[in-house]
Amino acid sequence: MTIGKILIANRGEIALRIHRAAREMGIKTVAVHSTADADAMHVRLADEAICIGPPAAADSYLNIPNIISAAEIAQADAIHPGYGFLSENARFADIVEEHNIIWIGPDPEHIRTMGDKVEAKRTAAKLGLPLVPGSDGPVTTTQEAEAVADRIGYPVLVKAASGGGGRGMKVIADAAALAPLIAQAKAEAKAAFGDDTVYIEKYLSEPRHIEFQVFGDGHGGAVHLGERDCSLQRRHQKVLEEAPSPALTAEVRAAMGETVRAAVAKLKYRGAGTMEFLYENGQFYFIEMNTRLQVEHPVTEAITGIDLVREQIRVASGLPMSVTQTDVRFAGHAIECRINAEDAATFAPSPGRVTDYLAPGGLDVRVDSALYAGYRIPPYYDSLVAKLIVHGATREDALRRMARALEEYVILGVKTTIPLHQALMDDPAFGRGDYSIKWLERWLAGRAAEAI
Ligand code: MV4
């Protein structure tokens, strides 16, 4: 099945990213956009553009009938969902395939399995991945929850099966707090996800968030492309990612990489995926698998030289991956700063007109952004407006290069988080790579206190 035309069911920098890979492969692109995005860069660059609805994402970028209609009108051979929006919607993937359109993503059944966090853990266990100690499946009664908590020890964490990304989690400190918090977690999960299934895990207090990039051909061929350290987060939103993790040695990476590679091969997984782990005291604990291309994929591209979107398109077309594990070489260090149109101190969104724009350049500097001078950032969507990715021979080189590139970056007319990243580059603890998932929020609180 050769793909001649791809409909890109997304917006912003990721729509551009997909367009660029398609273009380089000689594939035509179709942009879809809301009325708020008529002047967006992804619309300007694509070969064709189709309006799919009003500004609210529910009526446009999440509007399945309109997107399928656009694909049929444009006679697109394939749909790439990007990240967010419909990218992990198994029903959408099914519908795409039912319309004889190639879904550039994993088997919808794999999306479905990994979308249910209890199923995902059960699958991970079968595949031989290490899990956080916890309940074997959902917990339904208080007695059951008590027995699990007694076995693994307090504090424990109750999580919603339909949650993920930190939604619907509660820490339970001791036995007295257990019954009411389980009840509360179930009620909140029911309200948020229409599913009151919850499960319990041992609460890890200061882990790092380390995720492995994986890629499969759908027939049992699979590679791992190393890890990304994504511990720097604020309210479950990643702020900066780097590869390799400052916490791992080459030996640990190779051993864990082989474990995840073998798991992905056994699954017969197709396309790009991410195995998320918590890492504490030298141990990995699987928590979730993401069945999509991720925002932070460029750091992996920087250290491996592999174009992940190109590989996605290849395997969706039925072609083999262009690399096997022995071809994969890890070189140097990469860092990505997520630049949001937000006040760097308060994180209040700052949409509006970009009056002046100049992106940094030079050796090993990559900017993934759909911004341009005169562009009006709409208030309806995620505030991520640019990703600045640098590569260097060592972590120190990459940090210095990032500081230099941030200094060059001009985005006027709206507030951005560039000053936050500049402050991070100057921080000694960050410089040492000495951080956990708790570090950034503490650091921000410390800065806020100092500013008073
Ligand atoms: C945890 C945890 C501690 N212990 N699980 C948050 C998002 C979701 N993917 C899983 N999350 C966590 N699960 C156990 N057993 C702490 C977190 C967590 C977290 C994880 C990764 C990155 C940032 C985080 C911030 C707060 C909590």
Side-chain angles (χ1 to χ4, degrees):
M1 303 154 278
T2 59
I3 297 177
K5 196 190 270 191
I6 294 174
L7 181 141
I8 302 166
N10 217 299
R11 64 181 302 283
E13 68 84 20
I14 197 61
L16 249 66
R17 169 70 189 88
I18 297 160
H19 166 83
R20 287 168 172 156
R23 254 307 154 97
E24 292 175 11
M25 296 172 83
I27 299 171
K28 297 260 184 262
T29 59
V30 182
V32 292
H33 65 91
S34 70
T35 53
D37 278 342
D39 297 324
M41 202 62 207
H42 77 281
V43 173
R44 288 193 183 189
L45 283 183
D47 294 292
E48 294 168 64
I50 299 177
C51 181
I52 50 164
D59 301 321
S60 51
Y61 297 104
L62 294 170
N63 187 325
I64 295 175
N66 287 10
I67 293 168
I68 296 289
S69 299
E72 293 199 317
I73 290 164
Q75 298 192 300
D77 304 309
I79 294 182
H80 194 307
Y83 54 68
F85 296 126
L86 295 167
S87 60
E88 291 178 289
N89 185 316
R91 191 171 60 89
F92 178 59
D94 279 335
I95 293 169
V96 169
E97 291 185 341
E98 282 160 15
H99 285 76
N100 290 315
I101 300 166
I102 295 172
W103 166 248
I104 304 177
D107 184 322
E109 279 312 312
H110 285 151
I111 301 178
R112 204 165 265 122
T113 299
M114 297 305 172
D116 177 332
K117 304 307 161 191
V118 168
E119 264 317 299
K121 284 190 75 175
R122 201 171 277 149
T123 305
K126 272 195 240 158
L127 293 170
L129 296 171
L131 303 186
V132 192
S135 56
D136 182 16
V139 291
T140 44
T141 66
T142 307
Q143 290 87 320
E144 229 183 303
E146 268 170 0
V148 174
D150 285 342
R151 171 167 60 81
I152 63 180
Y154 289 91
V156 299
L157 198 56
V158 56
K159 296 184 174 183
S162 298
R167 299 186 311 159
M169 294 186 351
K170 279 185 200 310
V171 182
I172 303 177
D174 50 43
L178 187 98
L181 284 177
I182 297 272
Q184 205 184 324
K186 282 175 96 62
E188 287 180 19
K190 184 77 191 170
F193 316 113
D195 171 13
D196 73 350
T197 309
V198 298
Y199 61 104
I200 290 178
E201 284 180 355
K202 173 81 190 157
Y203 176 65
L204 304 176
S205 62
E206 291 264 341
R208 296 177 84 113
H209 174 143
I210 297 179
E211 57 185 31
F212 276 80
Q213 176 70 54
V214 295
F215 204 98
D217 65 7
H219 304 287
V223 296
H224 83 86
L225 299 175
E227 81 285 5
R228 297 181 286 256
D229 198 315
C230 304
S231 301
L232 296 188
Q233 311 207 2
R234 177 184 170 272
R235 299 192 181 172
H236 299 294
Q237 294 291 323
K238 293 171 186 162
V239 169
L240 175 152
E241 305 91 350
E242 62 179 313
S245 169
L248 301 191
T249 62
E251 292 69 36
V252 170
R253 170 173 315 105
M256 192 59 194
E258 176 50 25
T259 301
V260 296
R261 192 208 60 76
V264 170
K266 207 160 150 191
L267 251 190
K268 292 192 164 45
Y269 185 79
R270 179 181 71 230
T274 301
M275 296 279 193
E276 290 192 1
F277 296 89
L278 298 178
Y279 181 74
E280 194 171 68
N281 301 324
Q283 295 288 116
F284 283 99
Y285 303 94
F286 172 88
I287 46 171
E288 294 175 22
M289 180 176 184
N290 300 319
T291 54
R292 62 170 190 278
L293 182 72
Q294 289 197 255
V295 174
E296 59 272 26
H297 77 276
V299 298
T300 298
E301 296 185 322
I303 62 161
T304 63
I306 295 168
D307 179 337
L308 281 164
V309 179
R310 186 187 181 94
E311 296 300 323
Q312 287 187 296
I313 296 170
R314 283 180 63 91
V315 300
S317 317
L319 293 169
M321 295 184 288
S322 67
V323 291
T324 59
Q325 193 65 53
T326 52
D327 301 323
V328 178
R329 292 277 177 281
F330 300 108
H333 198 96
I335 305 174
E336 170 178 278
C337 289
R338 294 192 186 196
I339 297 168
N340 292 352
E342 290 173 358
D343 185 305
T346 64
F347 298 96
S350 179
R353 191 170 170 271
V354 176
T355 57
D356 201 3
Y357 183 77
L358 183 65
L363 182 68
D364 283 344
V365 174
R366 169 175 173 180
V367 177
D368 278 17
S369 175
L371 291 182
Y372 60 86
Y375 175 63
R376 191 173 284 281
I377 299 167
Y380 310 105
Y381 312 107
D382 193 276
S383 64
L384 179 81
V385 292
K387 303 186 312 203
L388 174 55
I389 305 102
V390 302
H391 185 243
T394 63
R395 187 168 187 269
E396 292 64 40
D397 288 345
L399 289 172
R400 273 195 290 264
R401 182 158 288 147
M402 181 61 84
R404 186 275 289 173
L406 286 164
E407 197 179 315
E408 278 182 29
Y409 210 157
V410 179
I411 305 175
L412 299 182
V414 297
K415 293 176 183 167
T416 76
T417 52
I418 290 173
L420 168 75
H421 290 294
Q422 289 181 295
L424 264 177
M425 293 306 129
D426 281 342
D427 185 87
F430 176 67
R432 292 190 299 273
D434 184 10
Y435 58 78
S436 74
I437 63 167
K438 297 272 181 79
W439 188 86
L440 182 64
E441 292 194 13
R442 282 189 197 130
W443 182 80
L444 289 168
R447 279 163 54 85
E450 258 173 57
I452 294 167

